[in-house]
Amino acid sequence: MNPTPALQLTGVSKRFGATVALDAVDLDVADREVLALVGPSGCGKSTLLRVVAGLIGGDAGVVRLGGVVADDSSSRLDPERRHVGLVFQEHALFPHLTVGENIAFGLSGQDRRARAAARDRWLELVGLPGYRRRYPHELSGGERQRVALARALAPHPGLVLLDEPFASLDPNLRQQIRIEVVALLRSTGTPAVFVTHDQTEAMAVGDRVAVMRAGRIEQTGSPVEVFHQPRTRFVAGFMGEAAFLPITTIDERTGRTELGPVDLSPMGGAAVAMARPDDVTFRPADDGAAVVTGVEFRGATWCYTLRLPSGTEVTSTQSHLVRVEPGRCVEVSLVPGHRLVPVTA
């Protein structure tokens, strides 16, 4: 028997005037699961979190938290009764309270000794045991974000919502704090929805990834599924670099592209075939039908742009030891073991 989902959205919609922010969204988060919600700016990610948290109401559909109806568009639980923790990009700590007081803020139902013990435990868990008497302005950005997480988790919420929590941090610190936060969520078994517009971050954080576009969930699956088996051209292009090749249909199951055959049976009507840079390789050849049109140095690798005979361009990632100048004729092929993936428009 499966546990009750921590979060379940059924047909949730929200409009702001003529703008459709959420369009009949269906989504669930299992107990102990971290779901990464990713999509471009303005696609509805933050609005979805605000509806779940009760900061705004939905116009239609049902929001269930731990099996309890929190919003059915006619009646709503107040935010403080939803047992949901919130972590925002801006940290949102109370500037007039110390670190210890910020963490203990949500523990008002406990006696003084229990609150102090919980406060100290969370300071240890987030690696700030000696910071209890400091104020937010005395902390670095990463330290403030750790305190914000501790404050959200201290009341043992049934769900934590994280809205672009590391966007204001520099890249190296962002990666470090992300690893720590995910480890803490997993060690405590706290289910979470982690909103980001960063595809790499979404795949690193989520047990599953939900890709959002124009108020709808375009695809949900494991990070591997969403990256390597995207259903649509949008998901393929948003989750990583991709080139798209026209398909000539041979029969219901098989198509052909300039780089070889493609299996159409999983799709039932694909528009194009996706090839990622690591799928494509080449070798210099004076009689090669393709041409190197661009080269970009990426440190450990070079990324080559190759123009095929039809004029379609693909990219190929190669070791930094492979150096080919633009204008060189090459023979292009798929890396052994790799395959083209059909996607719909």
Side-chain angles (χ1 to χ4, degrees):
M1 183 176 179
N2 293 328
T4 302
L7 171 66
Q8 188 173 31
L9 305 180
T10 307
V12 174
S13 297
K14 181 65 182 178
R15 299 177 70 99
F16 297 101
T19 301
V20 178
L22 300 176
D23 188 4
V25 172
D26 294 331
L27 188 66
D28 62 83
V29 178
D31 185 43
R32 306 179 71 90
E33 179 183 39
V34 178
L35 176 79
L37 181 62
V38 64
S41 297
C43 72
K45 304 185 302 294
S46 294
T47 298
L48 188 149
L49 286 201
R50 294 171 67 197
V51 170
V52 172
L55 302 179
I56 59 175
D59 296 332
V62 180
V63 177
R64 291 182 175 86
L65 293 166
V68 176
V69 174
D71 186 343
D72 63 4
S73 74
S74 60
S75 62
R76 302 181 180 93
L77 286 178
D78 293 334
E80 60 271 19
R81 297 178 58 198
R82 298 195 180 199
H83 203 44
V84 169
L86 299 172
V87 181
F88 298 105
Q89 175 182 338
E90 299 83 8
H91 319 301
L93 299 177
F94 298 115
H96 62 290
L97 299 181
T98 64
V99 166
E101 291 167 340
N102 265 284
I103 294 173
F105 182 81
L107 304 174
S108 56
Q110 302 180 19
D111 62 41
R112 184 174 180 180
R113 181 174 298 178
R115 291 178 69 190
R119 173 202 66 204
D120 293 343
R121 173 175 174 266
W122 282 103
L123 282 169
E124 289 282 350
L125 285 172
V126 297
L128 299 172
Y131 286 60
R132 178 167 65 87
R133 291 187 173 86
R134 296 194 187 185
Y135 285 87
H137 72 270
E138 299 176 295
L139 306 179
S140 68
E143 289 165 348
R144 287 196 295 272
Q145 199 58 287
R146 292 182 195 178
V147 174
L149 182 68
R151 186 179 66 181
L153 292 176
H156 299 288
L159 179 71
V160 173
L161 307 175
L162 303 103
D163 192 0
E164 302 272 7
F166 314 131
S168 62
L169 305 180
D170 67 70
N172 290 337
L173 180 59
R174 177 174 182 149
Q175 181 177 9
Q176 174 192 338
I177 298 297
R178 180 183 75 210
I179 292 170
E180 294 174 358
V181 166
V182 173
L184 186 57
L185 290 172
R186 299 201 192 288
S187 68
T188 58
T190 306
V193 178
F194 185 103
V195 162
T196 180
H197 64 271
D198 185 315
Q199 307 92 319
T200 301
E201 187 168 76
M203 291 187 286
V205 166
D207 298 310
R208 285 188 304 143
V209 175
V211 184
M212 197 167 187
R213 178 190 188 191
R216 292 190 167 196
I217 303 298
E218 190 100 347
Q219 183 173 346
T220 304
S222 72
V224 172
E225 290 170 343
V226 171
F227 184 80
H228 288 296
Q229 301 170 34
R231 294 177 192 155
T232 68
R233 183 166 181 159
F234 170 79
V235 173
F238 186 79
M239 293 306 296
E241 290 183 70
F244 300 98
L245 302 167
I247 298 173
T248 300
T249 302
I250 297 175
D251 54 42
E252 292 182 355
R253 294 177 172 271
T254 309
R256 176 161 291 280
T257 74
E258 284 186 272
L259 290 184
V262 57
D263 180 9
L264 301 178
S265 55
M267 299 300 295
V272 290
M274 176 196 78
R276 296 209 184 276
D278 65 305
D279 295 325
V280 180
T281 190
F282 65 91
R283 69 178 187 85
D286 291 339
D287 59 349
V291 178
V292 176
T293 59
V295 183
E296 184 177 281
F297 182 57
R298 297 185 177 180
T301 62
W302 292 95
C303 186
Y304 290 91
T305 301
L306 314 171
R307 188 175 67 241
L308 303 179
S310 67
T312 300
E313 290 191 333
V314 297
T315 54
S316 174
T317 300
Q318 300 291 325
S319 162
H320 69 283
L321 299 175
V322 176
R323 189 72 176 97
V324 179
E325 296 299 326
R328 189 75 165 87
C329 291
V330 295
E331 289 185 357
V332 183
S333 61
L334 290 177
V335 174
H338 289 230
R339 62 186 178 85
L340 297 170
V341 176
V343 296
T344 63

